[in-house]
Amino acid sequence: MKGYVFHGPGESAWEEVPDPEIREPGDVIVRVDAVTVCGTDLHILKGDVPEVRPGTVLGHEAVGEVVETGADVRTVRPGDRVLVSCITACGRCRFCREGMYGQCRGGGGWILGHLIDGTQAEYVRVPFADLSVYPLPGGLADEDAVLLADIFPTAYEVGVLNGRVRPGDTVVVVGAGPVGLAAIATAKLFGPERVVAVDLAASRLQAAKEFGADAVADASESPEQLVGDLTGELGADVVIEAVGVPETFELCTRVVRPGGHVANVGVHGAPATLHLEDLWIKNVTITTGLVDTHSTPTLLRMAAAGRLPTRRLVSHTFALDQMQEAYDVFANAAETGALKVVLGVPQHEVVPVHPTV
């Protein structure tokens, strides 16, 4: 088969690789029908995730059809259409028993496209399938479903739930890329008074408005002042960091109110300064996290009911063998206007992001 292979920082290619095989009784083999590119994949290509070895097939999000199952698999069978989660769970270790699947110590966690071959290929082997793939409702299209493999659970769990968004809150989302937009959409489910989006790109600030942001701020134009004006100088109740660079994390700690929450979602490849000389007295809670995907069944039901703006995040589609082109478009989002790129589905032109009526 063919897959998108990491060969070291800045080096990757769509090339022939060995077909995946069942290795353990809990494995399944899935034919990939739709896959997407994540910001974490870009971090890998930059060399920010040194655990990824050259020769690894990238990708950790997919929708496809089960073509083979191991002897112990009980929840799916060949022919089933499934969501391949970004997180694999053994179900037996202490962390899995506590619902912290992202921290699995039994051979799972974030392994696809990280420690083992991932989903950006024609076929993928998924370990611990009973807890790591999800049968899909018949009416949920591939383009919608694939966004529930990572970005919506990540935004919802690591951003909104960890940040403890509550009715009446002022929520600031720093970074209006795909995860930031998903955080805006899912934060709105909790009835905040206002959601403020911060980004450098005008196109993404416009998208943030269309996903429910009540106000937007250019990151280069003192967003602290806007947040102060909106909150009577108190600061934001919840600030969600969805970029992953030192400057954005430090901005989050400046705009949060005393007693507020900073929920870090971004993948950081460089140290950020924690200004405890300012924060020690402010009762601020800072959370970090890798998604656990415990919310995936709930989000699947909501998506099937049309309650999540999944399709509106898809700006570009490609054939599966156009992987390098898809990476180029996604990596240059400021020029291309890309939000989320999906491969393996019928192609169309760039889709404008519009709110539903």
Short mmCIF file of all heavy atoms in Angstrom, two decimals, residues 83 85-87 99-102 131 134 147-162 186 189-190 290-303 308:
data_model
loop_
_atom_site.label_atom_id
_atom_site.label_comp_id
_atom_site.label_asym_id
_atom_site.label_seq_id
_atom_site.Cartn_x
_atom_site.Cartn_y
_atom_site.Cartn_z
N LEU A 83 -15.10 5.19 13.06
CA LEU A 83 -14.20 6.31 13.35
C LEU A 83 -12.98 5.74 14.04
O LEU A 83 -13.09 5.00 15.02
CB LEU A 83 -14.90 7.31 14.27
CG LEU A 83 -14.04 8.45 14.82
CD1 LEU A 83 -13.71 9.44 13.72
CD2 LEU A 83 -14.75 9.14 15.98
N SER A 85 -10.15 6.65 16.40
CA SER A 85 -9.83 7.71 17.35
C SER A 85 -8.34 8.00 17.35
O SER A 85 -7.50 7.12 17.11
CB SER A 85 -10.27 7.28 18.76
OG SER A 85 -9.87 8.24 19.72
N CYS A 86 -8.00 9.25 17.68
CA CYS A 86 -6.59 9.62 17.81
C CYS A 86 -5.94 8.97 19.03
O CYS A 86 -4.71 8.90 19.12
CB CYS A 86 -6.44 11.13 17.88
SG CYS A 86 -7.15 11.90 19.37
N ILE A 87 -6.75 8.49 19.97
CA ILE A 87 -6.26 7.87 21.19
C ILE A 87 -6.64 6.40 21.22
O ILE A 87 -7.78 6.03 20.93
CB ILE A 87 -6.82 8.57 22.44
CG1 ILE A 87 -6.34 10.03 22.49
CG2 ILE A 87 -6.42 7.84 23.72
CD1 ILE A 87 -4.85 10.22 22.62
N GLY A 99 -10.48 6.72 33.15
CA GLY A 99 -10.95 7.48 31.99
C GLY A 99 -9.91 8.38 31.37
O GLY A 99 -10.23 9.18 30.49
N MET A 100 -8.65 8.25 31.78
CA MET A 100 -7.55 9.07 31.24
C MET A 100 -6.85 8.28 30.14
O MET A 100 -5.67 7.91 30.24
CB MET A 100 -6.58 9.47 32.35
CG MET A 100 -7.21 10.35 33.41
SD MET A 100 -6.10 10.65 34.82
CE MET A 100 -4.73 11.48 34.00
N TYR A 101 -7.57 8.01 29.06
CA TYR A 101 -7.06 7.14 28.01
C TYR A 101 -5.81 7.70 27.33
O TYR A 101 -4.96 6.94 26.86
CB TYR A 101 -8.14 6.87 26.96
CG TYR A 101 -9.43 6.35 27.54
CD1 TYR A 101 -10.64 7.00 27.29
CD2 TYR A 101 -9.44 5.23 28.36
CE1 TYR A 101 -11.83 6.53 27.82
CE2 TYR A 101 -10.63 4.76 28.90
CZ TYR A 101 -11.82 5.42 28.63
OH TYR A 101 -13.00 4.95 29.17
N GLY A 102 -5.70 9.01 27.29
CA GLY A 102 -4.52 9.62 26.67
C GLY A 102 -3.23 9.28 27.41
O GLY A 102 -2.15 9.37 26.83
N LEU A 131 -11.96 -0.48 22.26
CA LEU A 131 -12.03 0.82 22.93
C LEU A 131 -11.47 1.96 22.08
O LEU A 131 -11.43 3.09 22.54
CB LEU A 131 -11.28 0.78 24.26
CG LEU A 131 -11.93 -0.03 25.38
CD1 LEU A 131 -10.99 -0.13 26.57
CD2 LEU A 131 -13.26 0.58 25.79
N TYR A 134 -14.92 3.45 16.76
CA TYR A 134 -16.33 3.68 17.10
C TYR A 134 -17.20 3.47 15.88
O TYR A 134 -16.99 4.14 14.86
CB TYR A 134 -16.52 5.12 17.60
CG TYR A 134 -15.74 5.45 18.85
CD1 TYR A 134 -14.39 5.82 18.78
CD2 TYR A 134 -16.33 5.38 20.10
CE1 TYR A 134 -13.67 6.11 19.92
CE2 TYR A 134 -15.61 5.67 21.26
CZ TYR A 134 -14.29 6.03 21.16
OH TYR A 134 -13.56 6.33 22.28
N LEU A 147 -13.74 14.68 11.76
CA LEU A 147 -13.38 15.76 12.66
C LEU A 147 -13.63 15.41 14.13
O LEU A 147 -13.23 16.15 15.03
CB LEU A 147 -14.16 17.03 12.30
CG LEU A 147 -13.93 17.55 10.87
CD1 LEU A 147 -14.60 18.90 10.68
CD2 LEU A 147 -12.44 17.67 10.56
N LEU A 148 -14.28 14.27 14.37
CA LEU A 148 -14.51 13.81 15.73
C LEU A 148 -13.42 12.87 16.21
O LEU A 148 -13.46 12.38 17.35
CB LEU A 148 -15.87 13.12 15.82
CG LEU A 148 -17.06 13.99 15.42
CD1 LEU A 148 -18.34 13.19 15.49
CD2 LEU A 148 -17.16 15.23 16.29
N ALA A 149 -12.43 12.60 15.36
CA ALA A 149 -11.32 11.74 15.77
C ALA A 149 -10.36 12.46 16.69
O ALA A 149 -9.69 11.83 17.51
CB ALA A 149 -10.56 11.23 14.54
N ASP A 150 -10.28 13.79 16.58
CA ASP A 150 -9.29 14.53 17.36
C ASP A 150 -9.76 15.93 17.71
O ASP A 150 -9.93 16.27 18.88
CB ASP A 150 -7.96 14.58 16.60
CG ASP A 150 -6.83 15.24 17.39
OD1 ASP A 150 -7.09 15.75 18.49
OD2 ASP A 150 -5.69 15.23 16.91
N ILE A 151 -9.99 16.80 16.72
CA ILE A 151 -10.08 18.23 17.05
C ILE A 151 -11.28 18.57 17.93
O ILE A 151 -11.16 19.38 18.85
CB ILE A 151 -10.04 19.13 15.80
CG1 ILE A 151 -11.26 18.92 14.92
CG2 ILE A 151 -8.77 18.95 15.03
CD1 ILE A 151 -11.40 20.04 13.90
N PHE A 152 -12.44 17.96 17.68
CA PHE A 152 -13.58 18.28 18.54
C PHE A 152 -13.41 17.71 19.95
O PHE A 152 -13.62 18.43 20.94
CB PHE A 152 -14.90 17.86 17.90
CG PHE A 152 -15.52 18.97 17.09
CD1 PHE A 152 -15.24 19.09 15.74
CD2 PHE A 152 -16.35 19.91 17.67
CE1 PHE A 152 -15.78 20.13 14.99
CE2 PHE A 152 -16.90 20.95 16.95
CZ PHE A 152 -16.62 21.06 15.60
N PRO A 153 -13.02 16.43 20.13
CA PRO A 153 -12.74 15.99 21.51
C PRO A 153 -11.65 16.79 22.19
O PRO A 153 -11.75 17.09 23.38
CB PRO A 153 -12.35 14.52 21.32
CG PRO A 153 -12.94 14.10 20.03
CD PRO A 153 -12.92 15.33 19.16
N THR A 154 -10.60 17.15 21.45
CA THR A 154 -9.51 17.92 22.05
C THR A 154 -9.99 19.29 22.51
O THR A 154 -9.73 19.71 23.64
CB THR A 154 -8.36 18.07 21.05
OG1 THR A 154 -7.78 16.79 20.79
CG2 THR A 154 -7.28 19.00 21.58
N ALA A 155 -10.68 19.99 21.64
CA ALA A 155 -11.17 21.33 22.00
C ALA A 155 -12.14 21.25 23.18
O ALA A 155 -12.07 22.07 24.11
CB ALA A 155 -11.84 21.96 20.79
N TYR A 156 -13.02 20.27 23.14
CA TYR A 156 -14.06 20.15 24.16
C TYR A 156 -13.48 19.72 25.51
O TYR A 156 -13.76 20.33 26.55
CB TYR A 156 -15.09 19.15 23.67
CG TYR A 156 -16.27 18.92 24.59
CD1 TYR A 156 -17.09 19.97 24.99
CD2 TYR A 156 -16.57 17.65 25.06
CE1 TYR A 156 -18.18 19.75 25.82
CE2 TYR A 156 -17.64 17.42 25.90
CZ TYR A 156 -18.45 18.47 26.28
OH TYR A 156 -19.52 18.26 27.11
N GLU A 157 -12.64 18.69 25.51
CA GLU A 157 -12.13 18.15 26.77
C GLU A 157 -11.00 18.99 27.35
O GLU A 157 -11.03 19.39 28.52
CB GLU A 157 -11.63 16.71 26.56
CG GLU A 157 -12.74 15.73 26.19
CD GLU A 157 -12.18 14.34 25.90
OE1 GLU A 157 -11.04 14.05 26.31
OE2 GLU A 157 -12.89 13.55 25.26
N VAL A 158 -9.97 19.25 26.53
CA VAL A 158 -8.77 19.92 27.03
C VAL A 158 -9.00 21.42 27.19
O VAL A 158 -8.41 22.06 28.06
CB VAL A 158 -7.56 19.63 26.12
CG1 VAL A 158 -6.29 20.21 26.71
CG2 VAL A 158 -7.40 18.13 25.91
N GLY A 159 -9.86 21.98 26.34
CA GLY A 159 -10.14 23.41 26.41
C GLY A 159 -11.35 23.73 27.27
O GLY A 159 -11.22 24.33 28.34
N VAL A 160 -12.52 23.29 26.84
CA VAL A 160 -13.77 23.73 27.48
C VAL A 160 -14.00 23.06 28.83
O VAL A 160 -14.30 23.73 29.83
CB VAL A 160 -14.95 23.47 26.52
CG1 VAL A 160 -16.28 23.81 27.19
CG2 VAL A 160 -14.78 24.29 25.24
N LEU A 161 -13.85 21.73 28.89
CA LEU A 161 -14.10 21.04 30.16
C LEU A 161 -12.98 21.30 31.17
O LEU A 161 -13.25 21.59 32.34
CB LEU A 161 -14.26 19.54 29.93
CG LEU A 161 -15.47 19.11 29.09
CD1 LEU A 161 -15.57 17.59 29.05
CD2 LEU A 161 -16.77 19.71 29.63
N ASN A 162 -11.72 21.22 30.75
CA ASN A 162 -10.63 21.53 31.67
C ASN A 162 -10.69 22.98 32.15
O ASN A 162 -10.35 23.30 33.29
CB ASN A 162 -9.27 21.27 31.02
CG ASN A 162 -8.88 19.81 31.05
OD1 ASN A 162 -9.64 18.96 31.50
ND2 ASN A 162 -7.68 19.51 30.57
N THR A 186 -17.90 24.63 20.97
CA THR A 186 -18.32 23.81 22.10
C THR A 186 -18.42 24.63 23.39
O THR A 186 -19.22 24.30 24.27
CB THR A 186 -17.37 22.61 22.29
OG1 THR A 186 -16.01 23.05 22.33
CG2 THR A 186 -17.53 21.62 21.15
N LEU A 189 -21.91 25.90 23.98
CA LEU A 189 -22.89 24.96 24.53
C LEU A 189 -23.17 25.23 26.00
O LEU A 189 -24.20 24.82 26.52
CB LEU A 189 -22.41 23.52 24.36
CG LEU A 189 -22.18 23.02 22.93
CD1 LEU A 189 -21.51 21.66 22.95
CD2 LEU A 189 -23.49 22.98 22.16
N PHE A 190 -22.25 25.94 26.69
CA PHE A 190 -22.38 26.16 28.13
C PHE A 190 -22.92 27.55 28.48
O PHE A 190 -22.94 27.92 29.65
CB PHE A 190 -21.03 25.93 28.80
CG PHE A 190 -20.63 24.48 28.84
CD1 PHE A 190 -20.05 23.89 27.73
CD2 PHE A 190 -20.85 23.71 29.96
CE1 PHE A 190 -19.68 22.55 27.74
CE2 PHE A 190 -20.50 22.37 29.99
CZ PHE A 190 -19.92 21.79 28.88
N LEU A 290 -3.42 16.09 27.25
CA LEU A 290 -3.61 15.36 26.01
C LEU A 290 -5.04 14.84 26.05
O LEU A 290 -5.50 14.34 27.08
CB LEU A 290 -2.62 14.20 25.92
CG LEU A 290 -2.76 13.27 24.71
CD1 LEU A 290 -2.46 14.01 23.42
CD2 LEU A 290 -1.84 12.07 24.87
N VAL A 291 -5.75 14.94 24.96
CA VAL A 291 -7.14 14.50 24.92
C VAL A 291 -7.26 13.04 25.34
O VAL A 291 -6.40 12.21 25.04
CB VAL A 291 -7.73 14.73 23.51
CG1 VAL A 291 -7.03 13.87 22.47
CG2 VAL A 291 -9.23 14.48 23.51
N ASP A 292 -8.34 12.72 26.06
CA ASP A 292 -8.62 11.34 26.45
C ASP A 292 -9.66 10.68 25.56
O ASP A 292 -9.78 9.46 25.55
CB ASP A 292 -9.11 11.30 27.90
CG ASP A 292 -8.02 11.71 28.88
OD1 ASP A 292 -6.90 11.19 28.77
OD2 ASP A 292 -8.30 12.56 29.75
N THR A 293 -10.44 11.48 24.85
CA THR A 293 -11.53 11.02 23.95
C THR A 293 -12.65 10.32 24.71
O THR A 293 -13.42 9.58 24.10
CB THR A 293 -11.02 10.14 22.78
OG1 THR A 293 -10.48 8.90 23.29
CG2 THR A 293 -9.96 10.86 21.97
N HIS A 294 -12.79 10.56 26.01
CA HIS A 294 -13.93 10.00 26.72
C HIS A 294 -15.25 10.61 26.25
O HIS A 294 -16.32 10.02 26.44
CB HIS A 294 -13.77 10.20 28.23
CG HIS A 294 -13.68 11.64 28.66
ND1 HIS A 294 -14.77 12.46 28.70
CD2 HIS A 294 -12.62 12.38 29.06
CE1 HIS A 294 -14.39 13.67 29.12
NE2 HIS A 294 -13.09 13.65 29.34
N SER A 295 -15.18 11.78 25.61
CA SER A 295 -16.40 12.45 25.14
C SER A 295 -16.81 12.04 23.73
O SER A 295 -17.85 12.49 23.25
CB SER A 295 -16.19 13.97 25.16
OG SER A 295 -15.23 14.37 24.17
N THR A 296 -16.03 11.19 23.08
CA THR A 296 -16.31 10.86 21.67
C THR A 296 -17.71 10.31 21.45
O THR A 296 -18.41 10.74 20.51
CB THR A 296 -15.24 9.90 21.12
OG1 THR A 296 -13.96 10.53 21.21
CG2 THR A 296 -15.52 9.54 19.67
N PRO A 297 -18.22 9.37 22.25
CA PRO A 297 -19.60 8.91 22.02
C PRO A 297 -20.63 10.03 22.10
O PRO A 297 -21.56 10.09 21.28
CB PRO A 297 -19.81 7.87 23.12
CG PRO A 297 -18.44 7.37 23.44
CD PRO A 297 -17.56 8.58 23.31
N THR A 298 -20.46 10.94 23.06
CA THR A 298 -21.39 12.07 23.17
C THR A 298 -21.30 12.97 21.95
O THR A 298 -22.33 13.39 21.38
CB THR A 298 -21.07 12.88 24.44
OG1 THR A 298 -21.26 12.05 25.58
CG2 THR A 298 -21.97 14.11 24.55
N LEU A 299 -20.09 13.28 21.52
CA LEU A 299 -19.92 14.15 20.37
C LEU A 299 -20.44 13.50 19.09
O LEU A 299 -20.99 14.19 18.21
CB LEU A 299 -18.44 14.54 20.22
CG LEU A 299 -17.87 15.39 21.36
CD1 LEU A 299 -16.37 15.56 21.19
CD2 LEU A 299 -18.57 16.75 21.43
N LEU A 300 -20.29 12.20 18.97
CA LEU A 300 -20.85 11.50 17.81
C LEU A 300 -22.36 11.65 17.76
O LEU A 300 -22.94 11.89 16.69
CB LEU A 300 -20.46 10.02 17.84
CG LEU A 300 -19.09 9.65 17.29
CD1 LEU A 300 -18.76 8.19 17.62
CD2 LEU A 300 -19.03 9.87 15.78
N ARG A 301 -23.01 11.49 18.91
CA ARG A 301 -24.47 11.65 18.93
C ARG A 301 -24.87 13.07 18.57
O ARG A 301 -25.84 13.30 17.82
CB ARG A 301 -25.02 11.28 20.30
CG ARG A 301 -24.89 9.80 20.65
CD ARG A 301 -25.75 9.44 21.86
NE ARG A 301 -25.42 10.21 23.04
CZ ARG A 301 -24.49 9.86 23.93
NH1 ARG A 301 -23.78 8.74 23.73
NH2 ARG A 301 -24.26 10.59 24.99
N MET A 302 -24.12 14.04 19.08
CA MET A 302 -24.44 15.44 18.77
C MET A 302 -24.23 15.75 17.30
O MET A 302 -25.02 16.47 16.68
CB MET A 302 -23.60 16.36 19.65
CG MET A 302 -23.94 16.27 21.12
SD MET A 302 -22.99 17.42 22.11
CE MET A 302 -23.66 18.98 21.53
N ALA A 303 -23.14 15.22 16.73
CA ALA A 303 -22.89 15.45 15.31
C ALA A 303 -23.97 14.82 14.45
O ALA A 303 -24.44 15.41 13.47
CB ALA A 303 -21.51 14.91 14.94
N LEU A 308 -23.34 20.00 15.93
CA LEU A 308 -21.97 20.48 15.87
C LEU A 308 -21.65 20.96 14.46
O LEU A 308 -22.02 20.30 13.48
CB LEU A 308 -20.99 19.37 16.26
CG LEU A 308 -21.05 18.84 17.70
CD1 LEU A 308 -20.07 17.69 17.87
CD2 LEU A 308 -20.77 19.94 18.71
#
